[in-house]
Amino acid sequence: MPFNETDLRAIGLTLRLAGTTMALLLVLCTPLAWWLARTRSRWRGPVSAVVALPLVLPPTVIGFYMLVALGPSGPLGQLTTALGLGTLPFTFWGLVLGSLIYSLPFAVQPLQGAFEAIGERPPEAAATLGAGPLDRFFTVVLPLARGGFVTAAILSFAHTVGEFGVVLMLGGNIPGVTRVISVQIYDHVEALEYTQAHWLAGGMVVFSFIVLLGLNLTRRARVLP
């Protein structure tokens, strides 16, 4: 068997982390992307820049500052401790929080683009028929933006699967708790276990190719009549 028990635990943890992050991002980023697509506020530019920061910042920088903020002496760490949640670094939910920040633009930007592509006319037409704001959003906007949701889901899931710097800084290397696929590959290489590293790394290459192929096919299907 190409994968040992530790590899399988890392794969399972990675899929759980990516699935949880994807679901939370779709829920949390939808109102933010809608606001960015519709607002004329002067805060639109700064908020867009903050959302895009993970695209240009080294993952270790994000992981370091999140480790400081969530640690026992950090403001968020003190808050979670006061709420009885303990500190989040080196836990699964600490990884989830780091993944939410790290993959944020990969969910917000496709959703924002989809909302902007809809334009003003479909919601306005629904309003003339008596549909309220929530009705217009759920019955008109969301169906028209489904392509953006598919893209956001695929990109945020795939991007989380490929994390390394953030998860290593924030979660360390605890088997079954924070050791994801990328960290497992690193461990194999450090131990000169190149065969096991090849199996995991090759799987990541195949996974990445399938993701990109799926995105291209999805975009082509939206373009073709």
Side-chain angles (χ1 to χ4, degrees), residues 22-200:
M22 177 193 70
L24 289 174
L25 280 174
L26 290 179
V27 173
L28 298 174
C29 292
T30 296
L32 175 59
W34 178 249
W35 180 81
L36 287 171
R38 305 278 292 187
T39 187
R40 291 186 173 88
S41 170
R42 63 180 180 178
W43 291 102
R44 183 179 186 271
V47 171
S48 295
V50 170
V51 167
L53 271 178
L55 295 174
V56 295
L57 281 177
T60 49
V61 172
I62 299 173
F64 169 70
Y65 280 114
M66 292 201 68
L67 182 63
V68 171
L70 294 169
S73 301
L76 296 179
Q78 293 178 355
L79 175 61
T80 56
T81 301
L83 293 174
L85 302 175
T87 54
L88 294 181
F90 310 109
T91 67
F92 173 77
W93 288 105
L95 291 188
V96 170
L97 187 56
S99 300
L100 290 175
I101 301 299
Y102 184 54
S103 295
L104 183 68
F106 292 87
V108 173
Q109 292 181 354
L111 292 176
Q112 181 183 346
F115 291 148
E116 289 174 345
I118 293 173
E120 302 284 347
R121 296 188 64 181
E124 288 176 353
T128 61
L129 298 175
L134 288 178
D135 286 337
R136 296 198 297 270
F137 185 78
F138 284 104
T139 62
V140 177
V141 174
L142 289 187
L144 291 175
R146 64 183 178 275
F149 279 90
V150 171
T151 301
I154 293 174
L155 286 179
S156 58
F157 186 92
H159 193 246
T160 303
V161 167
E163 288 182 28
F164 178 72
V166 171
V167 297
L168 190 61
M169 292 289 291
L170 191 57
N173 187 2
I174 306 173
V177 180
T178 62
R179 184 185 291 174
V180 294
I181 292 176
S182 56
V183 178
Q184 182 73 0
I185 294 172
Y186 181 78
D187 282 353
H188 282 317
V189 173
E190 279 208 317
L192 302 180
E193 298 169 346
Y194 290 150
T195 300
Q196 293 92 328
H198 273 306
W199 278 107
L200 285 175

